[in-house]
Amino acid sequence: MTDEPDKRNPDKVDKNKPQPRRPGGKTKRIAITAALILLALLLLGLLLPVCGCAQTITGKVIGVSCGETIAVLDASN
C-alpha cells in the first residue's frame, strides 16, 4: 500500500494506518462541563440572596383585596 489516497474512493480509510486525532475531543468536553458548572454556580449565587429576604411583620390587618393582598397597620403606620 502507498501513502497516497485511493483515487477511486477518497473516503476509504486504511484501518492499519494510525489516524490523526481530531482536535477538541476530551478537552473540549471538559471545557464545556466546566463552563456549565460555573454557570450553575453563578445562577445559584444570584438566586440565593433572593431566598433570604423574607421578613416578619406584626400588625393589624385592616383590609383584604383580591384574596391575596392585605393591608396591615403596623407600629410605623
Side-chain angles (χ1 to χ4, degrees):
M1 296 208 154
T2 64
D3 289 339
E4 296 178 20
D6 188 356
K7 292 178 182 165
R8 291 174 292 171
N9 189 358
D11 295 330
K12 184 176 179 184
V13 177
D14 184 4
K15 302 264 189 219
N16 296 327
K17 184 177 178 184
Q19 299 299 316
R21 299 186 89 189
R22 292 182 183 171
K26 190 173 185 180
T27 305
K28 188 174 182 180
R29 281 189 302 227
I30 291 172
I32 291 172
T33 303
L36 288 174
I37 290 172
L38 184 61
L39 180 64
L41 290 174
L42 178 66
L43 289 174
L44 182 65
L46 290 174
L47 294 176
L48 194 58
V50 173
C51 298
C53 27
Q55 295 179 358
T56 302
I57 59 170
T58 304
K60 182 178 179 182
V61 176
I62 56 171
V64 178
S65 58
C66 298
E68 301 178 348
T69 306
I70 62 171
V72 177
L73 184 62
D74 64 355
S76 66
N77 291 333

